[in-house]
Amino acid sequence: MSGDPLDAGEPSPTRDEHDVQRVRRATGPLRAFNDLGVLGAADVHVAATLGRLGGEADDRVLLAAALTVRALRSGSVCLDVALARGTTAVEGVPAALLAGLPWPDAASWTAALAASPLVAEAGPAGDADPDRPLRLRGSMLYLDRYWRQERRIAGVLDDTALRPQPVVDGTRLRAALERLFPDEGPDRQRLAAMVAAHRWVSVLAGGPGTGKTTTVAKVLAVLQDQAGGGLRVALAAPTAVAAARLGLAAAAAVQSFPDPDRQRVGRLGAATLHRLLGPRPGSRTRFRHDRDNRLPYDVVVVDEASMVSLTLMSRLVDALRPDSRLLLVGDPDQLASVEAGAVLGDLVQREPPAGTAAVPALAGLGRRDLEDLDEEESGALERGVVRLIRVHRFSGPIQALAEAVRAGAADDALRVVSGQHDSIELLDVDPAGDGDVETLLEPLRRDVVAAGCALHEAASAGDAQEALRLLAAHQLLCGHREGPFGVARWTERAEGWLRAAVAGYAAEGRWYVGRPLLVTRNDYQLRLFNGDTGVVVDLDGRPRAAFLREGVLAFLAPSRLSDVASVHAMSVHRSQGSQYDAVTLVLPPVDSPLLTRELLYTGLTRARRHVRIIGSRDALEAAVRRPVVRASGLRSRR
């Protein structure tokens, strides 16, 4: 059994899930922040070790170093000391207690860091001392490793933007666009293909159901047409499940192309970014392909790019040839990588360097496709970013709610939820409350029992294909893993409902017929990957685990499986890239740092037809108004 170390599927630990062991030897601010649970033992030990080895005794510097380590665990690339007091949150700790901690004032804090022997000030001319472990850029403090990774991505992208753009045969491009995108009205998919043809690096953004994968296939057809065929293409994604979905969907889209385009594109497959770069045994972050051993591809497409961490993206851009194209595909509004960085979101907002060439064809060839762009979207074209907005998958109310959440419009979101739509439901239930919770949850119980009974019936009949299809009928999603709002508690509740409704349910033990399965670690021997889902079925009187592997039904003896869990409930992070007919989303409490706009948006956009939100109106409003704050310098040019 083995797994990609970068193929993660869970959020960073919260306070109740992470070691916040008290450090008895900690003193001063480190002690106060550790006692309240803001800093864990590892944060304090790293700061103390840096201070001891570097000869630094200033409590302000040591506190900043510890908070920087903590920030990385929370997904930030650095610590913005000017904003740290207002943006630091700890689950279960009131904001008033956090504000009462001994925070240094921003000006003296920054000055102390600038004077520290541990810190090198970073600027356009380079570092004052590249051997120091910390970097200060304005008010942002980095560990050296992450500063270098961020600068590497920025440097490669800026260099790419400033060099001459690809040569385009306008006549061939026009013919290909008319052939592959025959819509006479404005078409953002066609616009995306046009931009990709003129750029070394481009971004295709859009939510679920907007046709991103179909657009990717057509972009590849346009690029192959420009080259006369023969381009070496790599499709990749951060997880094995996402890679498999990308490869299957792109290959299916190509089948509808005219014969010449289909032949030029050829067979498409996809791999994880980790496999594409070539793992080195014993290393989590180093690969065979790097700046000294470049990838051989002419075009690299990365799907689900919002899930790519800063470290992995820096390794990818290091390994690209200067004359290769990079197309990043994803939804910058959904949850970002579980590791440090929100690279796609940063790149969508990052201003191009002065002197970046405009796309010459847009003023003529793309005029009709510019008609429905607003000012922000028109500006994004200069960064090579096109956002798809036409949704082909959701009901209208779900799309309206998703757009309100994405825009941070809390009043609009509450108005949609209150609109008595058949496809949207809010259950004002506090799972940790003292009231009659089970009565309030009766609508959810009915859905869980209906979906579970249908799944059990199909599995008992040995109809694996139908059982796997029914896995997507309804899914419980949670922001937490533990506690009253977490996956474990809601899995237990769902199983209890099913035991009460189905005679003998789960009586066979762990591998009971109808058990929905989630793979939690890659197994290359079995060709099962982190995030794959399956179901236990009765096959000739024996329990067998049924999975779809690359679209083909496979049956495995349960004894061959080790890293699997029941999936009556799932974390929102793990659900990314999946779709369900109906979704029930359990919102974290108002004071949870995990209750964010991105969590709400990601959870509700997993639903095709119906979404139920469990939580108070206050929690819903708080989520819409609270975007994830991940400190980063990538989108800034200062």
Side-chain angles (χ1 to χ4, degrees), residues 409-492:
D411 292 341
D412 291 344
L414 291 171
R415 193 175 301 114
V416 174
V417 169
S418 303
Q420 304 299 314
H421 302 292
D422 291 340
S423 55
I424 298 176
E425 180 183 2
L426 175 66
L427 295 185
D428 193 346
V429 179
D430 180 2
D434 298 327
D436 190 355
V437 173
E438 291 300 316
T439 298
L440 296 172
L441 291 176
E442 178 58 22
L444 171 60
R445 189 198 68 81
R446 288 196 300 267
D447 281 357
V448 168
V449 168
C453 286
L455 178 62
H456 183 267
E457 183 178 345
S460 298
D463 190 347
Q465 198 78 41
E466 176 66 4
L468 289 168
R469 186 190 70 80
L470 288 168
L471 283 175
H474 175 265
Q475 184 62 60
L476 253 169
L477 299 178
C478 305
H480 288 188
R481 282 180 283 176
E482 305 294 339
F485 303 88
V487 170
R489 182 70 57 84
W490 286 87
T491 290
E492 181 181 354

Side-chain angles (χ1 to χ4, degrees), residues 316-334:
L316 174 63
V317 299
D318 257 350
L320 292 175
R321 295 197 336 252
D323 60 347
S324 65
R325 280 185 170 88
L326 175 64
L327 173 59
L328 300 176
V329 183
D331 187 349
D333 299 304
Q334 72 176 16

Side-chain angles (χ1 to χ4, degrees), residues 377-416:
E377 292 169 325
S378 296
L381 286 181
E382 297 181 12
R383 303 189 290 274
V385 178
V386 177
R387 180 186 290 275
L388 304 182
I389 61 172
R390 185 184 303 171
V391 178
H392 309 282
R393 188 179 297 168
F394 302 142
S395 70
I398 293 177
Q399 182 180 356
L401 178 58
E403 282 301 309
V405 172
R406 188 179 74 84
D411 292 341
D412 291 344
L414 291 171
R415 193 175 301 114
V416 174

Side-chain angles (χ1 to χ4, degrees), residues 34-58:
N34 176 238
D35 284 345
L36 197 59
V38 177
L39 295 176
D43 309 327
V44 174
H45 286 313
V46 169
T49 299
L50 288 176
R52 185 173 64 256
L53 296 178
E56 176 59 82
D58 192 321

Side-chain angles (χ1 to χ4, degrees), residues 58-74:
D58 192 321
D59 285 339
R60 295 168 297 178
V61 174
L62 300 182
L63 175 63
L67 288 171
T68 301
V69 178
R70 177 190 188 272
L72 291 167
R73 196 173 67 249
S74 301

Side-chain angles (χ1 to χ4, degrees), residues 72-358:
L72 291 167
R73 196 173 67 249
S74 301
S76 290
V77 174
C78 57
L79 174 73
D80 191 335
V81 297
L83 302 176
R85 181 171 183 167
T87 57
T88 299
V90 179
E91 185 179 342
V93 178
L97 287 180
L98 290 170
L101 287 168
W103 295 95
D105 71 90
S108 67
W109 206 0
T110 304
L113 290 168
S116 172
L118 296 177
V119 179
E121 288 198 73
D127 296 336
D129 186 346
D131 293 327
R132 296 188 182 189
L134 299 172
R135 296 286 177 274
L136 183 66
R137 182 183 183 227
S139 62
M140 296 181 181
L141 183 68
Y142 296 77
L143 295 185
D144 172 70
R145 167 188 171 188
Y146 294 93
W147 162 253
R148 293 182 185 279
Q149 290 173 358
E150 187 175 276
R151 289 303 90 200
R152 180 60 180 163
I153 293 172
V156 169
L157 295 179
D158 287 352
D159 290 347
T160 299
L162 291 172
R163 73 171 184 262
Q165 295 301 309
V167 176
V168 175
D169 184 328
T171 301
R172 288 187 70 97
L173 179 60
R174 183 186 299 274
L177 293 174
E178 295 298 334
R179 183 172 66 249
L180 293 162
F181 305 90
D183 191 344
E184 294 184 0
D187 187 336
R188 295 192 182 203
Q189 293 187 5
R190 181 170 55 224
L191 182 62
M194 195 183 317
V195 170
H198 287 87
R199 292 287 191 197
W200 296 114
V201 178
S202 56
V203 176
L204 177 62
T210 52
K212 295 190 295 295
T213 305
T214 298
T215 306
V216 166
K218 292 184 178 182
V219 167
L220 294 178
V222 168
L223 297 180
Q224 291 286 12
D225 181 74
Q226 282 286 307
L231 291 178
R232 292 167 293 182
V233 175
L235 302 182
T239 69
V241 170
R245 289 176 182 144
L246 170 64
L248 289 171
V254 170
Q255 295 309 306
S256 65
F257 292 174
D259 285 343
D261 290 303
R262 188 167 64 247
Q263 292 172 9
R264 276 192 290 266
V265 173
R267 296 183 61 183
L268 293 176
T272 64
L273 280 168
H274 192 267
R275 281 201 154 190
L276 179 73
L277 292 170
R280 285 183 177 178
S283 175
R284 288 175 53 89
T285 59
R286 296 292 177 181
F287 301 93
R288 288 190 299 105
H289 290 289
D290 54 23
R291 70 183 69 184
D292 298 318
N293 179 29
R294 308 281 181 149
L295 289 165
Y297 301 104
D298 303 298
V299 182
V300 175
V301 178
V302 180
D303 195 19
E304 297 290 355
S306 65
M307 299 168 64
V308 180
S309 68
L310 181 83
T311 296
L312 190 52
M313 187 64 76
S314 71
R315 300 299 184 238
L316 174 63
V317 299
D318 257 350
L320 292 175
R321 295 197 336 252
D323 60 347
S324 65
R325 280 185 170 88
L326 175 64
L327 173 59
L328 300 176
V329 183
D331 187 349
D333 299 304
Q334 72 176 16
L335 287 165
S337 165
V338 297
E339 298 179 63
V343 179
L344 183 66
D346 288 342
L347 295 185
V348 165
Q349 298 295 326
R350 181 176 170 79
E351 291 299 322
T356 300

